[in-house]
Amino acid sequence: MTALYLYPIWLRLWHWVNALLFLTLIVTGVSMHYSLHWLVSFDTAVPVHNTCGVLLTFSWLAFVAGNIWGGNGKHYLINIRTLPQALIAQTRYYLHGIFVAAPHPFHVSAEHKLNALQSLSYIGVMFGLMPILILSGWSFLFSTALPETLFGVGTVWIIAMVHLATSWMLALFLIVHVYIITTGETPTTNLKAMITGWHKERSSG
Amino acid sequence: MSLPLLSDTSPRLARVLTNGTTVFVVGLLCVLVLAMLPSAVSAVASDGSVKAASQQGLFKDDSQDCMRCHWMETMAYRDRETRKIVNLSIDTEAYSHSVHFELACSDCHARGYAHYPHRSSSADEDLQCVSCHEQHQDEGAPNLIGLEHEYEKSVHVTEDVEDFSCFSCHNAHTFKPAGGREPIAEVVERTNGVCLSCHEDLLTPVPKGHEWLPRPQAHWNAVRCLDCHTPVEGRVPERPSHNVLAAAESNQLCVECHTKGSELLSQLYNYRAEQEREQKGFFSRALYNESYIVGMSRNSLLDWISLIVIFLTLLGVAAHGYARYRAYRKREVSQ
């Protein structure tokens, strides 16, 4: 039995606040987009979506700050040299190894808690999609301050499409994320770790 | 006003930054509190529009003579010819909040009121909004010539509606432009009330001529009649066009609102969003802006692609999970 303290309290708090905001934004966003009055009424959905969007901005800034000053940033540094090999190994494990009880190609340690696929997708999400989502969201809030058209097309429409496409991609990420965390030693190993902070495994890695 | 509020909290934030564990909670709480208090924030931001009594036209000497009678709510008479009640009372409260609050009665009603009772011919004064505004441009009266050009093209003029004038819709004693702290819903209700005061036949659940419009009441609570019944071209943000279109020429294209352009709505909603941001401050206005229109962000291609991709992902994830479960059971059995 090994136990690693991987997730400090601030990180867990951030994670679950972020998760709550995300779910609220998805539910209100979907009900606004498809005008699903039975899900959340329009008059409620709009201010709630706007508020959560602003809060998500602060949550994202907090994440960045935590990575810079909280020491969490090291998990997002990619080793370019070993990356292709690690990616292939990880993908092969998910497509084949996992079904034949092959050993996990990546071993969680205090220095490396994320496997290659994880760190790559988290970097894409947190430093790629999230800034686009946040910026396009703020542009919505202040659409009157923007030029009427951009390249001959309505600015608001361009922003709407960017916001929409990004949010769909993040929804995809959420689905895969929720599933992938069940692929630890037991289906709940990773979930428990994000609740208690301790990553526990029977066998040492 | 919300920006100073935010900067008030930032020294605290800076101190807390040293303590990594609580910075997020405090930061989020600050924003949350900020978001919950739009009315408090706006109350500070808005100007108290109470004007000094000395500036008010109704308190000037000769006006006080008029108001000795005309303040009474029951001040009215029945017209001998039309048999209609003509209301002669002046709502002092509404007048003092109107754009004309500085004017004394005699500034407009100049001739024929020296004697009491007034002669019936006194009422025939030919008050002209456009020319009066032109004369007093230097004193800040907005130029109405553009409005007059629009108005002359409107169905109210081209159809020769009897006795139609500015005063058919506008009461100079109460007139004030849409704005201030009045919520959009109230602006809509008030301006639509002007139309409906004559077009009474439209006061039915499914108004005549609007059968094609889905959820008519929902529309009427959010959109002004004028947003559809004036031309799309040549709109200015500050005021609706006075070129009121005939039913057949009015806009009936759903996509004029519910699509990327949203041209019909942009007038009232964009203008208000800008105006209110000035008054209420950055944050509260951003959170409570009303410029999102259902369908604006819709794109059927993108919608379909994303729904299909999401569905396939769910399917893939489910299949993967099921295969894992099967493999796990097989291993258990073989052991």
Side-chain angles (χ1 to χ4, degrees):
Chain A
M1 180 85 166
T2 57
L4 284 168
Y5 188 65
L6 285 186
Y7 306 107
I9 177 79
W10 73 262
L11 189 72
R12 280 176 281 149
L13 266 179
W14 168 81
H15 176 271
W16 291 114
V17 166
N18 204 52
L20 191 70
L21 289 175
F22 236 85
L23 289 177
T24 317
L25 283 163
I26 288 178
V27 172
T28 51
V30 163
S31 71
M32 280 159 76
H33 186 69
Y34 292 105
S35 53
L36 305 177
H37 297 273
W38 50 266
L39 191 60
V40 183
S41 87
F42 190 74
D43 296 338
T44 314
V46 174
V48 169
H49 195 83
N50 293 350
T51 309
C52 286
V54 173
L55 291 177
L56 189 75
T57 310
F58 286 86
S59 159
W60 183 79
L61 289 174
F63 174 80
V64 173
N67 277 337
I68 295 172
W69 293 296
N72 192 53
K74 65 181 178 207
H75 297 290
Y76 297 93
L77 299 175
I78 295 177
N79 187 336
I80 302 281
R81 221 173 296 157
T82 58
L83 180 73
Q85 231 182 338
L87 273 181
I88 292 169
Q90 195 63 41
T91 313
R92 248 171 70 192
Y93 173 74
Y94 284 136
L95 292 180
H96 178 252
I98 196 169
F99 301 115
V100 295
H104 212 285
F106 174 79
H107 302 290
V108 175
S109 68
E111 291 309 304
H112 300 282
K113 65 179 180 186
L114 305 174
N115 70 47
L117 264 181
Q118 272 177 321
S119 54
L120 204 62
S121 59
Y122 289 175
I123 286 170
V125 163
M126 292 311 294
F127 298 105
L129 294 179
M130 284 290 280
I132 299 176
L133 185 81
I134 288 168
L135 283 177
S136 58
W138 280 92
S139 313
F140 253 143
L141 296 183
F142 292 96
S143 53
T144 49
L146 301 172
E148 277 283 299
T149 56
L150 203 66
F151 313 119
V153 189
T155 310
V156 178
W157 187 74
I158 295 177
I159 288 161
M161 289 304 116
V162 170
H163 196 70
L164 196 64
T166 319
S167 62
W168 277 118
M169 283 187 255
L170 284 167
L172 274 187
F173 165 79
L174 186 64
I175 295 171
V176 176
H177 175 71
V178 167
Y179 176 70
I180 287 285
I181 63 148
T182 67
T183 62
E185 195 188 49
T186 72
T188 55
T189 301
N190 292 330
L191 181 66
K192 279 178 188 157
M194 192 43 96
I195 294 170
T196 63
W198 288 92
H199 185 92
K200 291 180 182 167
E201 283 191 15
R202 258 177 299 158
S203 53
S204 93
Chain B
M1 281 310 285
S2 56
L3 281 176
L5 252 179
L6 188 69
S7 58
D8 285 348
T9 61
S10 53
R12 211 168 96 222
L13 262 174
R15 272 207 310 283
V16 182
L17 262 170
T18 53
N19 186 348
T21 55
T22 45
V23 58
F24 308 103
V25 188
V26 174
L28 291 176
L29 278 179
C30 289
V31 190
L32 200 66
V33 167
L34 213 64
M36 293 297 178
L37 292 170
S39 49
V41 172
S42 66
V44 185
S46 56
D47 70 312
S49 57
V50 183
K51 283 134 190 164
S54 59
Q55 286 179 290
Q56 297 211 6
L58 291 187
F59 289 92
K60 289 178 183 163
D61 288 341
D62 49 355
S63 297
Q64 286 188 338
D65 293 340
C66 308
M67 292 308 287
R68 279 168 66 190
C69 296
H70 285 278
W71 70 273
M72 285 185 281
E73 285 175 30
T74 50
M75 181 85 190
Y77 73 99
R78 188 184 288 279
D79 189 282
R80 281 189 196 150
E81 286 166 25
T82 62
R83 308 300 300 158
K84 277 186 181 162
I85 302 265
V86 179
N87 183 2
L88 294 175
S89 85
I90 298 294
D91 182 342
T92 36
E93 177 67 18
Y95 190 85
S96 67
H97 288 103
S98 77
V99 285
H100 298 128
F101 77 98
E102 285 173 290
L103 300 182
C105 304
S106 58
D107 287 338
C108 296
H109 309 285
R111 269 191 289 271
Y113 292 98
H115 302 284
Y116 181 83
H118 310 314
R119 296 187 194 95
S120 59
S121 61
S122 300
D124 298 335
E125 55 190 348
D126 189 22
L127 291 176
Q128 296 288 342
C129 301
V130 180
S131 57
C132 187
H133 271 244
E134 209 175 359
Q135 281 164 29
H136 294 95
Q137 251 184 90
D138 299 340
E139 295 146 56
N143 193 320
L144 303 181
I145 291 181
L147 288 185
E148 192 180 32
H149 288 312
E150 291 168 354
Y151 167 71
E152 278 161 3
K153 283 182 257 171
S154 81
V155 68
H156 293 135
V157 173
T158 55
E159 291 291 310
D160 269 332
V161 183
E162 203 183 339
D163 286 337
F164 204 88
S165 70
C166 302
F167 304 111
S168 304
C169 300
H170 301 296
N171 183 342
H173 296 132
T174 58
F175 183 82
K176 57 176 181 182
R181 275 175 291 167
E182 199 175 4
I184 281 195
E186 279 172 32
V187 176
V188 169
E189 194 184 345
R190 189 161 57 79
T191 42
N192 288 355
V194 172
C195 307
L196 293 169
S197 65
C198 285
H199 296 275
E200 286 168 344
D201 51 333
L202 296 178
L203 287 168
T204 53
V206 183
K208 183 172 79 56
H210 292 76
E211 297 84 359
W212 61 277
L213 183 69
R215 293 165 59 83
Q217 297 306 329
H219 276 96
W220 288 20
N221 290 335
V223 205
R224 296 173 301 185
C225 304
L226 292 168
D227 287 318
C228 296
H229 290 279
T230 55
V232 179
E233 299 81 29
R235 293 186 176 207
V236 290
E238 297 80 19
R239 56 168 181 80
S241 167
H242 281 59
N243 179 3
V244 179
L245 298 171
E249 286 150 34
S250 298
N251 302 291
Q252 292 195 6
L253 274 176
C254 305
V255 291
E256 296 266 33
C257 283
H258 298 274
T259 191
K260 54 185 178 183
S262 308
E263 288 175 57
L264 296 188
L265 278 182
S266 62
Q267 193 180 38
L268 175 66
Y269 282 72
N270 275 357
Y271 176 58
R272 285 302 297 255
E274 246 167 53
Q275 206 185 24
E276 291 187 4
R277 193 168 305 130
E278 278 169 23
Q279 290 165 358
K280 293 191 181 178
F282 190 77
F283 270 99
S284 54
R285 202 47 237 152
L287 301 185
Y288 290 86
N289 87 59
E290 295 171 72
S291 50
Y292 183 88
I293 303 153
V294 177
M296 177 178 65
S297 55
R298 289 291 276 278
N299 177 303
S300 53
L301 182 70
L302 200 60
D303 277 3
W304 274 112
I305 292 174
S306 24
L307 281 177
I308 289 169
V309 170
I310 291 245
F311 176 73
L312 289 178
T313 308
L314 281 172
L315 209 66
V317 159
H320 195 275
Y322 181 66
R324 258 173 72 204
Y325 174 73
R326 287 287 298 271
Y328 170 76
R329 296 289 302 190
K330 222 162 96 183
R331 278 202 303 278
E332 275 214 322
V333 171
S334 65
Q335 275 169 15

